[in-house]
Amino acid sequence: MMINHDTSRTWDTIKRDTDERLAAAAKIVGSGKVVTAEDAVALLEAVIRPFDRVNIEGDNQKQADFLAQCLCAVDPAKVHDLHMVQSVLTLPEHLDVFEKGIAKKLDFSFSGPQSGRIAELLGAGKLDLGAIHTYLELYGRYFLDLTPRVALVVADAADREGNLYTGFSTEDTPTIVEATKFRQGIVIVQVNEIVDRLPRVDIPADFVDFIVTSPRPFYIEPLFTRDPAKITDARVLTAMMTIKGIYAEYGIQNLNHGVGYDTAAIELLLPTYGEELGLKGKICSNWILNPHPTLIPAIESGWVKSVHSFGGELGMERYVAARPDVFFIGPDGSMRSNRCMSQVAGHYAIDAFVGATLQIDPYGNSSTATATKVAGFGGAPNMGCDSRGRRHSTAAWLKAGAEVGSQAAAIGPDLHRGRRLVVQILNTVARIRDKKNPGQFKEIPAFVEHLDAEKLMKNANLPIEPVMIYGDDLTHIVTEQGIAYLHRCRDIEERRAAIRSVAGKTPVGLQGSEEERRRMRELGIVKTPADLGIDVATATRDRLAAKDIMELVEWSGGLYDPPAKFLPGKEDSSRR
């Protein structure tokens, strides 16, 4: 066979293009890596070209906020129609670039406070949406078809050679940098300071092209702090049901909690209600979790063996460093979080994902989307699904798999397969303040005939509905009415009946009957608080191990330093 080599083809076009950009940057910054804050905008104009794929590090918590502001300040005649690929959009600047025509296309995971504005920009034709991803899904595409040409990331500190210390809230930085640099991209880092010696090297200097010292510490969001004072008796009840009816029943040792007051209540009940049930050592030992302040009492009471974190949490630095037997602590004495690795563990290694949602439809599909907000998913779909590639076994996983009503029909009667527990907790009716009538409240049903995600798909011209967790992945729904063990259902009609049985006085729940509910209880598919031996009258805030933020500080021995926004009479900048 004759092989004809095309000797005229150039195989390093990306590198040559990068070299041209770096040469343009050298005219501004000279031969070194350190760039003044005043030259940052000019640097971006030198290395970013129209239609480039660009990542601004916007994580769940830490933000490359100064570089985001600099990108907004570039000349749209020089830099325009960028394709932004980033996990989280938190800051106004993340969308200002679309208003100004600097960026045009977006691929992301979660938007939080910017969710309404994304929908507005889509409607105005100023933003083209590629896709809404889970975190791990987007990280995977960084190494496939969404590799950044230029990455604008953030670190605590750099040394004069360009080595980086990403510190407590490392989060997405290593993933972004590796994908960009090993595809001959350009990496620009915003740091709080340049020092002679770093506590540790998280990213080597060879991976870094330019370092910009920000005029102020980077912004960080205390996303996972929940004040125990805001946990209601209703949440105490659903937490008690979850502990006794799910954690104890399956012996859940390895788990993740979504952020929210429902899961915070569970964490604060472990040292009290969990202790009453004799469950220490039998449940909730190994966690994939940000350092939740509400987990402090359980840690101090000896419940928790290990915690690996997606990111940090503002105010928890000293506490985490003082508990190296629990958290993943480096030789320098501080934690190094890693969102990508936590998401991998959350997909394959945990036995239960427990979170909350806003809406559930008659089939068990759930979503936090509204008709006018493109909020995204974060990591919930990645952990809130049954990992079909899993092959290691635990007792909890096998027990849940043995209960799956349709498993024999799927893989035959002779094989064994486990099942991830995916739990959604919610009140059947949400009581929220009426913005049009101050002092009054509206009751919003959580169980609906059609998810708002369906309307959002049409309004935002999305290719599919932004469903957070699909019904066939959901194993349990917990409401004040009881627990629906959906994985035990033999068919879709039985599943719908189970959902109706815990949906209360909502459009979905009202379609059920007492006879149907009684039959579901007899089959063990639904359990009420009474079935679980829980006296609703005892489900009160008095059971919480800590009832406010200051009691969490006491539990920590003074090591937890809450952000000022959670303390009365103090202002907060959420800065390092």
Side-chain angles (χ1 to χ4, degrees), residues 62-63 65 154 156 190 192 216-220 576:
K62 73 173 182 178
Q63 307 291 327
D65 54 343
V154 58
D156 276 30
Q190 164 187 335
N192 291 341
R216 61 188 176 279
F218 61 77
Y219 177 84
I220 186 163
R576 275 280 187 202

Side-chain angles (χ1 to χ4, degrees), residues 210-272:
F210 299 104
I211 300 163
V212 180
T213 305
S214 174
R216 61 188 176 279
F218 61 77
Y219 177 84
I220 186 163
E221 177 74 18
L223 188 64
F224 295 90
T225 300
R226 291 295 180 271
D227 186 347
K230 295 182 179 180
I231 296 174
T232 62
D233 290 348
R235 287 192 162 107
V236 171
L237 173 60
T238 53
M240 290 172 67
M241 286 193 286
T242 304
I243 290 171
K244 191 170 185 180
I246 300 175
Y247 291 8
E249 182 157 340
Y250 294 91
I252 298 297
Q253 291 279 19
N254 310 314
L255 71 161
N256 167 263
H257 273 181
V259 61
Y261 289 103
D262 296 291
T263 47
I266 296 172
E267 292 156 19
L268 290 170
L269 285 174
L270 292 177
T272 57

Side-chain angles (χ1 to χ4, degrees), residues 181-349:
K181 198 61 199 169
F182 283 81
R183 189 63 174 157
Q184 295 88 53
I186 294 173
V187 175
I188 303 172
V189 188
Q190 164 187 335
V191 300
N192 291 341
E193 59 181 344
I194 297 176
V195 298
D196 292 327
R197 182 178 176 81
L198 296 171
R200 67 170 187 253
V201 174
D202 288 309
I203 294 174
D206 290 348
F207 296 5
V208 176
D209 294 292
F210 299 104
I211 300 163
V212 180
T213 305
S214 174
R216 61 188 176 279
F218 61 77
Y219 177 84
I220 186 163
E221 177 74 18
L223 188 64
F224 295 90
T225 300
R226 291 295 180 271
D227 186 347
K230 295 182 179 180
I231 296 174
T232 62
D233 290 348
R235 287 192 162 107
V236 171
L237 173 60
T238 53
M240 290 172 67
M241 286 193 286
T242 304
I243 290 171
K244 191 170 185 180
I246 300 175
Y247 291 8
E249 182 157 340
Y250 294 91
I252 298 297
Q253 291 279 19
N254 310 314
L255 71 161
N256 167 263
H257 273 181
V259 61
Y261 289 103
D262 296 291
T263 47
I266 296 172
E267 292 156 19
L268 290 170
L269 285 174
L270 292 177
T272 57
Y273 184 59
E275 201 80 42
E276 287 177 26
L277 298 176
L279 295 174
K280 185 189 290 187
K282 300 176 182 178
I283 65 169
C284 299
S285 296
N286 305 306
W287 299 72
I288 297 299
L289 195 75
N290 280 72
H292 287 194
T294 45
L295 196 63
I296 291 172
I299 294 171
E300 295 301 303
S301 300
W303 281 75
V304 179
K305 291 182 180 178
S306 71
V307 179
H308 186 268
S309 297
F310 306 88
E313 181 64 8
L314 201 60
M316 286 288 283
E317 294 88 346
R318 288 193 304 140
Y319 178 77
V320 168
R323 300 293 182 267
D325 282 351
V326 173
F327 294 93
F328 283 65
I329 305 299
D332 66 307
S334 71
M335 186 181 79
R336 184 181 191 266
S337 59
N338 188 308
R339 190 169 306 282
C340 185
M341 290 298 99
S342 273
Q343 289 289 339
V344 169
H347 186 65
Y348 282 108

Side-chain angles (χ1 to χ4, degrees), residues 236-237 240 273 276 533-543:
V236 171
L237 173 60
M240 290 172 67
Y273 184 59
E276 287 177 26
I534 295 173
D535 181 356
V536 175
T538 67
T540 67
R541 286 178 38 79
D542 293 339
R543 287 186 175 274

